[in-house]
Amino acid sequence: MERADIVALDKRYVWHPYTAMDEYIASTDPLVVVRAEGPYLYDADGTRYLDANGSWWVSTLGHRHPRLVRALTEQAGTFPHTSLAGVTHEPAARLAQELAALAPGAGRTDLPAGERLSRVFYSDNGSTAVEVAIKMAAQHWAQNGRPRRTRFITLSGAFHGETIGSTSVGGVQLFRDIFGPLLFDVVHVPSPAEPEGWERAFARVEATLREHPEEIAAVILEPVIQGAAGMHLYAPEFLRAVREATRAVDTFLIADEVFTGLGRTGARFACDLAGVVPDLLCLAKALSGGLMPFAATLATERVFAGFGGGRERALYYGHSYCGNPLGAAVAREVLAVYRDEDVLGQVARKAPKVKAAFERMAATIPGVTQPRAIGMVGAVDLGGGGYLARGGWRVYEASRRRGLYLRPLGDTVYVAPALNIPDAALDELLAGVEASLREVAAGRA
């Protein structure tokens, strides 16, 4: 098909996510991707774009990594699908073993067996990984002597997904307010990334746990970096303090590592930066390297044991594609590539360059503020307009003219490229972002 024909069909029939469709139909010239390889996307008009956000944070090993494609193809040639209800298969069984061996705390000899993340429940995206963690926590307490534990503590600015449960524990008001009548009650505390410091946020968490210990099923948070809120960083000390506070009242900690897991922050898991082992840990995005919808929720033996003792106590949850062999086979190969290509070592080497570039942008470009970076994430702000602000989109347009696909978060401009992006491509990306910011700043002057 001709490019124009694809766009016409798209605008006639497709409803896009996170998109004001009337504006899109009237004036947007979208990227029309026909091919992808490594850190690049290729438009039908022949333009090559550097993918600055890993296509919504999933392609941590770049597009079409040959080993992942081969794993997918080989598994499809054997059997592409079976349910995991009363059935098992080698990819799911072996992947679960490998995830348990990599999970936070796996190598600690001082950790009691019941606190090890040794059980793996599969689902198909980050939202469902969080949804199942919520249900696990609530059902565990309901059938183990603490039925009043139905509330969750979450952070302002939190983002945990799109289902009603994961929206309930979210803290981005734009994404949740319209659904208010459908959401269950949660306790929102200040973000530890706010200027007042993480101590203020922790004081609220601790006070709520102490005042209502029989009501709180879990504290849920994105460890160390709140992604959709605007790439807001906070100190690992907050995470450690929350872990101790939940232990003090014997309730659960849920770590949503859908964005942060598998190397994005420079550590295998962001929880590792704080030396924390949660009771439930949610994974998706990087887990299948951008090839398949696939996710997992890791649980401790203690959580798992709370579902034994009769059929009525089982976890009645699951999707048709949970633990599908294609996704499991690809995920196993993702973990193998991380080992064989020293992906965490690559992040350690490249992260200082990302940090230095964003600090330079804020120091030398008028109106660019709040530089921050961790691992392979770098961000700056153009103002305080929030998610609906247009400043970042002006940078998007300037970047697109330079061959970059850069999707902002309102006034927040950030990069989160493939972790194994070649050095030359990373240099091109950072230079292009800087040049685009300078162009937009000059236009505002």
Side-chain angles (χ1 to χ4, degrees), residues 262-285:
L262 298 180
R264 176 60 65 188
T265 65
R268 183 175 287 116
F269 298 98
C271 283
D272 293 335
L273 296 172
V276 160
V277 180
D279 301 282
L280 294 153
L281 185 145
C282 308
L283 286 177
K285 294 192 184 292

Side-chain angles (χ1 to χ4, degrees), residues 399-439:
S399 295
R400 183 172 172 178
R401 291 191 290 271
R402 291 175 170 82
L404 308 182
Y405 171 54
L406 183 90
R407 185 178 174 86
L409 294 161
D411 271 345
T412 296
V413 173
Y414 77 93
V415 300
L419 306 186
N420 63 348
I421 183 172
D423 289 341
L426 180 59
D427 291 340
E428 178 188 353
L429 171 59
L430 296 174
V433 173
E434 182 169 354
S436 299
L437 284 166
R438 292 188 184 281
E439 177 186 329

Side-chain angles (χ1 to χ4, degrees), residues 281-296:
L281 185 145
C282 308
L283 286 177
K285 294 192 184 292
L287 183 58
S288 56
L291 266 70
M292 294 287 297
F294 197 80

Side-chain angles (χ1 to χ4, degrees), residues 38 51 53-63 264 285-286 289-291 416-420:
D51 187 353
N53 64 60
S55 290
W56 256 353
W57 317 340
V58 302
S59 297
T60 51
L61 297 177
H63 296 283
R264 176 60 65 188
K285 294 192 184 292
L291 266 70
L419 306 186
N420 63 348

